[in-house]
Amino acid sequence: MFDAQINNLKNNSHLNAIVHDLSNDPVFLDKTDGILSGKSIAIKENIHLKGIGLSCASKILQNYKSIYNATVVERIKKAGGAILATTNMDEFAMGSSSEHTIHGVVKNPHDITRVAGGSSGGSAVAVASGMVDLALGSDTGGSVRQPSAFCGIYGLKPTYGRISRFGLVSYASSFDQIGIFSNNVKDMSNLFESISGNDEKDSTSALEKVKPYLFNEKKYKIGLPEEYWGKGIDPEMRKILDKFIAKLKSDGHDVKSISMPKTEYSIATYYILTTAEASSNLARFDGVQYGHRENADNPIDMTIFTRNFGFGDEVKRRILLGTFVLSSGYYDAYFEKAQKMRRLIQKDFKNAFEEFDILLTPTVPTPPFKIGEKMDDPLTMYLSDIYTVPMSLAGVPALNLPIGETKSKLPVCIQAVGDFFNENELFNFAELCN
Ligand code: GLN
């Protein structure tokens, strides 16, 4: 079983997508009668898989082994899927390129001089290069959609609360969602159905029922938010995107533009709120409870040395930013203001879905960039998330789907955004476009 995938796993180690290759003894191979039976799955290395190392690509957790299974892992087991590998990522899921990692920079299978995207770059590459049928990642501001766009596959960020996060290492808890990578819609909807739904171990998981997905031929009311379709999109990509939209119109879908005026504040709002939450979530890595410890002759030095040694530069930058925006005197000016703006951004989406079934936007502004290109410039790195963070601020589901490629054979994708808990509408649209 899984001969082709195991071959691809073994032959593609130069892509640095995999942290733990479990293919010699896949986890849960024994159950063969579920909706996922016969499917091989990889999971991002920030999701707990009992007995297997969980480093989150960080020195601070380098020697940590998980002691329990995440709810998604238990549900994969119940549905008969087999876990073949854990995947590389940006440290603690902070990044857009999978370059901030102790396991080596993840490479794009379409051009190994380019990044795979991040932070779930390893999961995207594992699916795009046929090492597994499906993979899980986490998406806080685009970490499933952006790497799936860079690798030319399907990538879903579900509605906030749709999938239990019990066993996902937290980055920014009011944003984090587990998401799915696949090569086709059917596999994705099956994995989605298997793992979503309420979980008593995660109080933020939604009660909303998960309905099975069934394809239906329909004409869509599609909104194109004009703030996403301005300058700044790579011209070659733009042509392919425009052609795709023109085809939708000629197929009889009702396509109109719409304004979502608060979009321009998304990046600033996102990086204030997520760093604030991260600074608090990462306080638990203190040399006492988990992972690495640097010894010193007093507890304060021990904590300082441990965190200084254990965290990489990007993680430190975020902890500092987050601590700053939460500090007294700056709390009102930054954190509270950003929370208000988040509400207004969400309102833009709610208004849009009174009129439209789905919204379409580019997923990324450019094809995958070169390895090293943005490493010394965090701001331009942050700007590569410009089209994915608004949905995370609002909590709505969004799906990246492949629609073509550039002359140099780099993938071109589009992002379909749905109303709360309407992932099935996104699957349906993606299948219709196939
Ligand atoms: N690139 C974004 C960030 O660094 C998104 C990361 C994510 O979704 N985990 O915050």
Side-chain angles (χ1 to χ4, degrees):
M1 211 173 179
F2 303 129
D3 290 347
Q5 286 97 329
I6 293 174
N7 245 333
N8 288 333
L9 262 169
K10 307 282 181 214
N11 293 336
N12 282 309
S13 56
H14 64 287
L15 298 175
N16 290 334
I18 303 302
V19 178
H20 297 282
D21 177 351
L22 310 170
S23 62
N24 291 333
D25 185 17
V27 181
F28 313 140
L29 199 53
D30 42 337
K31 187 167 186 298
T32 52
D33 59 348
I35 178 175
L36 296 178
S37 64
K39 294 294 169 190
S40 55
I41 302 171
I43 64 171
K44 186 174 180 177
E45 217 219 357
N46 61 351
I47 296 173
H48 281 264
L49 180 59
K50 191 173 173 179
I52 309 294
L54 176 120
S55 72
C56 296
S58 181
K59 275 200 287 189
I60 212 159
L61 287 178
Q62 195 158 19
N63 298 315
Y64 178 77
K65 267 204 174 80
S66 173
I67 51 168
Y68 68 102
N69 280 334
T71 294
V72 286
V73 167
E74 287 296 333
R75 290 186 180 179
I76 286 173
K77 175 181 181 183
K78 215 167 139 204
I83 297 178
L84 242 52
T86 67
T87 58
N88 200 353
M89 55 186 278
D90 281 302
E91 184 178 3
F92 285 106
M94 296 172 188
S96 310
S97 63
S98 301
E99 292 172 289
H100 304 283
T101 159
I102 58 166
H103 305 299
V105 175
V106 182
K107 297 182 180 149
N108 194 307
H110 299 277
D111 174 351
I112 57 166
T113 67
R114 292 177 187 273
V115 301
S119 63
S120 317
S123 289
V125 172
V127 171
S129 60
M131 301 180 195
V132 285
D133 300 308
L134 285 152
L136 294 183
S138 61
D139 189 313
T140 302
S143 278
V144 168
R145 290 161 287 158
Q146 188 254 23
S148 64
F150 277 4
C151 294
I153 57 173
Y154 294 88
L156 172 76
K157 178 198 91 74
T159 310
Y160 181 77
R162 191 51 129 163
I163 295 177
S164 166
R165 298 171 307 172
F166 177 74
L168 168 72
V169 176
S170 304
Y171 158 17
S173 308
S174 76
F175 294 77
D176 298 339
Q177 256 304 281
I178 289 176
I180 301 172
F181 295 91
S182 76
N183 278 311
N184 62 66
V185 178
K186 193 73 206 138
D187 279 355
M188 175 175 278
S189 62
N190 281 343
L191 179 53
F192 175 76
E193 195 182 320
S194 312
I195 61 177
S196 42
N198 183 250
D199 174 20
E200 61 180 17
K201 292 179 179 151
D202 174 2
S203 62
T204 64
S205 74
L207 293 167
E208 208 84 13
K209 281 263 168 308
V210 186
K211 296 192 201 99
Y213 158 66
L214 286 172
F215 178 69
N216 77 316
E217 192 80 43
K218 67 177 266 192
K219 297 294 175 204
Y220 275 87
K221 278 197 249 166
I222 300 172
L224 301 180
E226 55 199 37
E227 289 77 5
Y228 294 73
W229 291 96
K231 295 185 215 97
I233 307 171
D234 173 81
E236 192 185 356
M237 267 179 54
R238 177 73 201 235
K239 271 198 198 132
I240 297 166
L241 289 162
D242 285 346
K243 217 168 127 194
F244 179 80
I245 305 274
K247 168 92 169 52
L248 289 172
K249 286 184 187 158
S250 69
D251 286 348
H253 300 285
D254 182 9
V255 185
K256 283 201 191 101
S257 59
I258 177 192
S259 174
M260 300 182 70
K262 295 296 182 284
T263 307
E264 68 170 298
Y265 304 108
S266 299
I267 289 276
T269 307
Y270 173 84
Y271 278 98
I272 290 171
L273 295 177
T274 54
T275 55
E277 292 187 25
S279 70
S280 151
N281 273 327
L282 269 58
R284 74 193 65 175
F285 302 105
D286 54 6
V288 178
Q289 304 172 78
Y290 307 96
H292 183 79
R293 169 186 300 193
E294 289 282 303
N295 287 317
D297 51 18
N298 67 73
I300 293 178
D301 280 351
M302 185 275 288
T303 308
I304 292 172
F305 295 160
T306 297
R307 287 167 71 80
N308 192 32
F309 170 86
F311 290 136
D313 288 348
E314 183 57 30
V315 173
K316 284 181 189 153
R317 185 178 295 122
R318 306 239 181 157
I319 293 173
L320 289 172
L321 266 172
T323 310
F324 174 74
V325 299
L326 288 174
S327 57
S328 73
Y330 293 101
Y331 184 90
D332 300 356
Y334 293 105
F335 188 73
E336 212 170 81
K337 217 176 190 171
Q339 276 188 313
K340 287 182 184 151
M341 186 49 70
R342 182 179 198 178
R343 185 61 61 85
L344 295 176
I345 290 167
Q346 191 175 61
K347 208 163 146 236
D348 271 0
F349 280 94
K350 285 191 172 146
N351 290 343
F353 287 116
E354 284 181 8
E355 191 179 347
F356 298 106
D357 302 320
I358 57 164
L359 307 173
L360 288 180
T361 80
T363 314
V364 285
T366 63
F369 46 87
K370 290 272 188 190
I371 289 172
E373 190 181 316
K374 297 187 198 279
M375 273 300 262
D376 299 325
D377 188 354
L379 257 186
T380 45
M381 186 78 95
Y382 296 172
L383 283 172
S384 70
D385 305 328
I386 192 152
Y387 302 131
T388 52
V389 299
M391 299 78 201
S392 302
L393 285 157
V396 291
L399 174 68
N400 174 70
L401 53 140
I403 61 163
E405 55 182 29
T406 63
K407 286 198 192 79
S408 44
K409 302 251 175 282
L410 294 173
V412 177
C413 294
I414 199 162
Q415 175 174 232
V417 187
D419 201 354
F420 293 92
F421 299 106
N422 216 348
E423 289 83 359
N424 286 355
E425 194 78 289
L426 300 178
F427 299 148
N428 201 70
F429 176 75
E431 209 166 339
L432 198 76
C433 295
N434 219 331

